[in-house]
PDB file of all heavy atoms in Angstrom:
ATOM      1  N   GLY A 257      86.460  88.059  91.549  1.00  0.00           N
ATOM      2  CA  GLY A 257      87.455  88.603  90.646  1.00  0.00           C
ATOM      3  C   GLY A 257      87.205  90.070  90.407  1.00  0.00           C
ATOM      4  O   GLY A 257      86.328  90.667  91.032  1.00  0.00           O
ATOM      5  N   PRO A 258      87.953  90.692  89.509  1.00  0.00           N
ATOM      6  CA  PRO A 258      87.838  92.129  89.289  1.00  0.00           C
ATOM      7  C   PRO A 258      86.409  92.601  89.052  1.00  0.00           C
ATOM      8  O   PRO A 258      85.998  93.644  89.564  1.00  0.00           O
ATOM      9  CB  PRO A 258      88.720  92.353  88.053  1.00  0.00           C
ATOM     10  CG  PRO A 258      89.719  91.253  88.095  1.00  0.00           C
ATOM     11  CD  PRO A 258      88.989  90.075  88.650  1.00  0.00           C
ATOM     12  N   ALA A 259      85.645  91.851  88.256  1.00  0.00           N
ATOM     13  CA  ALA A 259      84.258  92.224  87.988  1.00  0.00           C
ATOM     14  C   ALA A 259      83.303  91.091  88.362  1.00  0.00           C
ATOM     15  O   ALA A 259      82.207  90.983  87.815  1.00  0.00           O
ATOM     16  CB  ALA A 259      84.090  92.592  86.517  1.00  0.00           C
ATOM     17  N   THR A 260      83.720  90.262  89.315  1.00  0.00           N
ATOM     18  CA  THR A 260      82.904  89.133  89.771  1.00  0.00           C
ATOM     19  C   THR A 260      82.697  89.242  91.273  1.00  0.00           C
ATOM     20  O   THR A 260      83.631  89.017  92.047  1.00  0.00           O
ATOM     21  CB  THR A 260      83.591  87.786  89.458  1.00  0.00           C
ATOM     22  OG1 THR A 260      83.865  87.700  88.062  1.00  0.00           O
ATOM     23  CG2 THR A 260      82.717  86.617  89.890  1.00  0.00           C
ATOM     24  N   PRO A 261      81.509  89.620  91.725  1.00  0.00           N
ATOM     25  CA  PRO A 261      81.261  89.671  93.166  1.00  0.00           C
ATOM     26  C   PRO A 261      81.436  88.298  93.804  1.00  0.00           C
ATOM     27  O   PRO A 261      81.244  87.268  93.148  1.00  0.00           O
ATOM     28  CB  PRO A 261      79.802  90.142  93.257  1.00  0.00           C
ATOM     29  CG  PRO A 261      79.539  90.832  91.959  1.00  0.00           C
ATOM     30  CD  PRO A 261      80.352  90.078  90.942  1.00  0.00           C
ATOM     31  N   PRO A 262      81.839  88.250  95.082  1.00  0.00           N
ATOM     32  CA  PRO A 262      82.050  86.957  95.740  1.00  0.00           C
ATOM     33  C   PRO A 262      80.821  86.055  95.644  1.00  0.00           C
ATOM     34  O   PRO A 262      79.696  86.482  95.910  1.00  0.00           O
ATOM     35  CB  PRO A 262      82.328  87.362  97.196  1.00  0.00           C
ATOM     36  CG  PRO A 262      82.862  88.758  97.106  1.00  0.00           C
ATOM     37  CD  PRO A 262      82.128  89.391  95.966  1.00  0.00           C
ATOM     38  N   SER A 263      81.072  84.810  95.246  1.00  0.00           N
ATOM     39  CA  SER A 263      79.997  83.832  95.067  1.00  0.00           C
ATOM     40  C   SER A 263      80.476  82.463  95.520  1.00  0.00           C
ATOM     41  O   SER A 263      81.640  82.111  95.340  1.00  0.00           O
ATOM     42  CB  SER A 263      79.574  83.751  93.592  1.00  0.00           C
ATOM     43  OG  SER A 263      79.196  85.006  93.088  1.00  0.00           O
ATOM     44  N   TYR A 264      79.558  81.688  96.089  1.00  0.00           N
ATOM     45  CA  TYR A 264      79.838  80.297  96.445  1.00  0.00           C
ATOM     46  C   TYR A 264      79.199  79.380  95.403  1.00  0.00           C
ATOM     47  O   TYR A 264      78.043  79.588  94.996  1.00  0.00           O
ATOM     48  CB  TYR A 264      79.276  79.953  97.819  1.00  0.00           C
ATOM     49  CG  TYR A 264      80.081  80.524  98.960  1.00  0.00           C
ATOM     50  CD1 TYR A 264      79.658  81.672  99.631  1.00  0.00           C
ATOM     51  CD2 TYR A 264      81.256  79.916  99.391  1.00  0.00           C
ATOM     52  CE1 TYR A 264      80.390  82.201 100.689  1.00  0.00           C
ATOM     53  CE2 TYR A 264      82.000  80.430 100.438  1.00  0.00           C
ATOM     54  CZ  TYR A 264      81.553  81.573 101.082  1.00  0.00           C
ATOM     55  OH  TYR A 264      82.285  82.099 102.123  1.00  0.00           O
ATOM     56  N   TYR A 265      79.967  78.370  94.977  1.00  0.00           N
ATOM     57  CA  TYR A 265      79.479  77.381  94.018  1.00  0.00           C
ATOM     58  C   TYR A 265      79.730  75.978  94.553  1.00  0.00           C
ATOM     59  O   TYR A 265      80.743  75.729  95.226  1.00  0.00           O
ATOM     60  CB  TYR A 265      80.195  77.519  92.676  1.00  0.00           C
ATOM     61  CG  TYR A 265      79.846  78.749  91.888  1.00  0.00           C
ATOM     62  CD1 TYR A 265      80.547  79.935  92.098  1.00  0.00           C
ATOM     63  CD2 TYR A 265      78.837  78.726  90.933  1.00  0.00           C
ATOM     64  CE1 TYR A 265      80.244  81.080  91.365  1.00  0.00           C
ATOM     65  CE2 TYR A 265      78.527  79.865  90.198  1.00  0.00           C
ATOM     66  CZ  TYR A 265      79.222  81.036  90.415  1.00  0.00           C
ATOM     67  OH  TYR A 265      78.917  82.162  89.700  1.00  0.00           O
ATOM     68  N   LEU A 266      78.830  75.070  94.197  1.00  0.00           N
ATOM     69  CA  LEU A 266      79.038  73.635  94.410  1.00  0.00           C
ATOM     70  C   LEU A 266      79.358  73.027  93.061  1.00  0.00           C
ATOM     71  O   LEU A 266      78.573  73.146  92.109  1.00  0.00           O
ATOM     72  CB  LEU A 266      77.791  72.987  95.001  1.00  0.00           C
ATOM     73  CG  LEU A 266      77.836  71.451  95.135  1.00  0.00           C
ATOM     74  CD1 LEU A 266      78.935  71.015  96.093  1.00  0.00           C
ATOM     75  CD2 LEU A 266      76.480  70.905  95.571  1.00  0.00           C
ATOM     76  N   ILE A 267      80.521  72.383  92.965  1.00  0.00           N
ATOM     77  CA  ILE A 267      80.962  71.796  91.700  1.00  0.00           C
ATOM     78  C   ILE A 267      81.073  70.289  91.851  1.00  0.00           C
ATOM     79  O   ILE A 267      81.721  69.797  92.786  1.00  0.00           O
ATOM     80  CB  ILE A 267      82.320  72.378  91.272  1.00  0.00           C
ATOM     81  CG1 ILE A 267      82.204  73.887  91.061  1.00  0.00           C
ATOM     82  CG2 ILE A 267      82.819  71.702  89.995  1.00  0.00           C
ATOM     83  CD1 ILE A 267      83.507  74.560  90.694  1.00  0.00           C
ATOM     84  N   ASP A 268      80.432  69.561  90.952  1.00  0.00           N
ATOM     85  CA  ASP A 268      80.547  68.110  90.876  1.00  0.00           C
ATOM     86  C   ASP A 268      81.601  67.801  89.821  1.00  0.00           C
ATOM     87  O   ASP A 268      81.379  68.011  88.623  1.00  0.00           O
ATOM     88  CB  ASP A 268      79.200  67.488  90.505  1.00  0.00           C
ATOM     89  CG  ASP A 268      79.210  65.968  90.621  1.00  0.00           C
ATOM     90  OD1 ASP A 268      80.220  65.342  90.225  1.00  0.00           O
ATOM     91  OD2 ASP A 268      78.218  65.404  91.098  1.00  0.00           O
ATOM     92  N   LEU A 269      82.764  67.325  90.249  1.00  0.00           N
ATOM     93  CA  LEU A 269      83.870  67.103  89.332  1.00  0.00           C
ATOM     94  C   LEU A 269      83.655  65.895  88.420  1.00  0.00           C
ATOM     95  O   LEU A 269      84.350  65.757  87.410  1.00  0.00           O
ATOM     96  CB  LEU A 269      85.176  66.936  90.119  1.00  0.00           C
ATOM     97  CG  LEU A 269      85.627  68.165  90.910  1.00  0.00           C
ATOM     98  CD1 LEU A 269      86.868  67.847  91.730  1.00  0.00           C
ATOM     99  CD2 LEU A 269      85.885  69.346  89.986  1.00  0.00           C
TER     100      LEU A 269
END
Side-chain angles (χ1 to χ4, degrees):
T260 304
S263 304
Y264 285 101
Y265 290 88
L266 174 63
I267 299 178
D268 189 319
L269 296 176

